Amino acid sequence: MSNSLKPGVVTGENYRTLVREAKKGHYALPAVNVVGTNSINAAMESAAKNKSDIIIQFSNSGGQFYAGFGLEDSFEAKVLGTVSAAHHVHLLAEKYGICVVLHTDHANKALIPWVEELIKHSENHFESHGKPLFSSHMLDLSGEVIDFNLSESKRLLERMSKIGMSLEIELGVTGGEEDGVGSDDDIGADNPLLYTQPEDCLRAWEMLSPIGHFSLAASFGNVHGVYKPGNVKLRPEILKNSQDLIERTCETGSRPLDLVFHGGSGSEKGKISTAIGYGVFKMNIDTDTQFAFSKAIGHYVNESPKAFLHQVDPEDGTPYKKLYDPRKVLRSAELSMIERLDEAFVDLGSVGKSLAK
Ligand SMILES: [Zn+2]
């Protein structure tokens, strides 16, 4: 059976094929946070250049930015901006000749209504086009008790699986800064509060896998924001323990969980590769591409500071139109973001692995 897919946005069975082939081929796909057409197009250009498939994801505020901060109803802007961006990708992805997974990033309890509104858009899209608008959404209820996390995940997945959508969940750690786990002294490799427990992964598997496809972000020493990077040790073997427990208990095939790596900026390359070997197929990238994008703009402006103060040079009359044309500035940012993504594709081993034919 051929595993090649049509280029464009992939959902349902085709999305599962992407995940399965990545795990089998020992590579992962970058999941790039985007905020507008510049970062979306840069992500797709870079995927095409590297002949890799890619995951494009929106945060709720990224969606709002896409719609425009001038819109008064911020909830509506978060929904419509994300939908508008999704249509942009649907229209163009095919032309870039690669497969694109359309996904939304961390949504905590307060953002469940945002996710539900987006699901409604996918349900309508499914009715008219036979496929959902988004490939998957993420629900991050890792800050809530696990019973609530799993029951809400189940409720949404029941609705999503009917239209070929997948859900990403996050199983958190039981401690937080308020529990004293955030101070520098007690962050140790042996602190069980900082790592997702295999028993919790098993519970998620037993509850969600009969309903539909889900992926799981587990904490194995990766940090997003709360702790200073480098303070918590990456322990990919946590992922292996979870896989083994499920495999043993539920008699599944090997590495049943489809795992996601959050907060991986600055991780050692060897640990990334080990994590991929334990079933990680998706690695989020945001901070590094944000910096790459903005750094280039700073550099561009510093190169010709006068062009950003005067339309025409007050001393010698030189016109600066060619320099301050926003397309020039933004293109330099796109190219810099592409350069950073080139590295990500290499680190994740996905260069040349696109399934699009
Ligand atoms: Zn996360």
Side-chain angles (χ1 to χ4, degrees), residues 106 138 170 224 262:
H106 291 86
M138 189 207 174
E170 180 153 342
H224 23 325
H262 288 184

Side-chain angles (χ1 to χ4, degrees), residues 17-203:
T17 300
L18 272 194
V19 176
R20 192 183 59 231
E21 290 303 309
K23 284 170 75 180
K24 218 161 72 184
H26 200 101
Y27 62 91
L29 299 177
V32 186
N33 279 67
V34 293
V35 298
T37 53
N38 295 109
S39 45
I40 292 175
N41 295 344
M44 293 195 291
E45 183 178 340
S46 151
K49 182 182 164 197
N50 286 283
K51 296 194 167 31
S52 169
D53 300 317
I54 191 168
I55 300 166
I56 289 182
Q57 63 187 22
F58 311 94
S59 68
N60 68 94
S61 61
Q64 186 184 357
F65 183 79
Y66 198 94
F69 281 156
L71 288 187
E72 216 159 284
D73 185 334
S74 64
F75 179 76
E76 193 180 35
K78 283 172 182 187
V79 174
L80 293 182
T82 311
V83 168
S84 173
H87 282 296
H88 174 95
V89 178
H90 272 271
L91 195 63
L92 296 177
E94 197 189 322
K95 300 292 166 195
Y96 281 89
I98 35 115
C99 295
V100 177
V101 173
L102 266 182
H103 180 68
T104 58
D105 201 8
H106 291 86
N108 62 15
K109 190 178 176 184
L111 286 164
I112 294 175
W114 173 62
V115 174
E116 292 200 271
E117 245 352 85
L118 294 177
I119 295 174
K120 209 183 278 171
H121 279 271
S122 273
E123 286 167 343
N124 292 339
H125 197 268
F126 185 85
E127 252 183 43
S128 46
H129 297 82
K131 69 193 260 192
L133 190 57
F134 295 90
S135 318
S136 56
H137 294 304
M138 189 207 174
L139 203 55
D140 176 14
L141 302 177
S142 60
E144 312 295 323
V145 294
I146 188 169
D147 290 332
F148 180 76
N149 186 342
L150 293 181
S151 65
E152 277 300 278
S153 298
K154 179 170 182 260
R155 185 176 69 82
L156 290 195
L157 186 57
E158 272 164 352
R159 201 170 145 193
M160 294 164 78
S161 66
K162 287 193 189 104
I163 53 170
M165 289 187 72
S166 174
L167 178 71
E168 178 182 324
I169 67 164
E170 180 153 342
L171 288 177
V173 293
T174 50
E177 287 209 273
E178 64 282 10
D179 305 313
V181 186
S183 71
D184 284 357
D185 323 325
D186 49 22
I187 297 176
D190 301 323
N191 191 335
L193 296 180
L194 291 170
Y195 301 97
T196 299
Q197 301 304 298
E199 293 72 25
D200 289 346
C201 297
L202 175 63
R203 273 187 71 187

Side-chain angles (χ1 to χ4, degrees), residues 244-316:
D244 289 349
L245 178 66
I246 295 170
E247 196 183 321
R248 234 175 21 243
T249 315
C250 305
E251 296 181 350
T252 65
S254 86
R255 302 182 299 161
L257 288 170
D258 295 334
L259 295 168
V260 177
F261 191 165
H262 288 184
S265 288
S267 304
E268 307 122 278
K269 305 224 184 319
K271 292 278 172 74
I272 295 176
S273 173
T274 308
I276 291 173
Y278 294 150
V280 167
F281 76 97
K282 168 181 187 267
M283 180 156 161
N284 289 2
I285 171 160
D286 186 12
T287 318
D288 289 357
T289 38
Q290 278 186 344
F291 179 64
F293 193 94
S294 300
K295 181 181 73 176
I297 294 176
H299 185 73
Y300 187 98
V301 173
N302 283 333
E303 289 268 281
S304 330
K306 282 164 101 183
F308 293 87
L309 292 168
H310 314 283
Q311 282 189 286
V312 174
D313 193 297
E315 275 147 40
D316 60 19

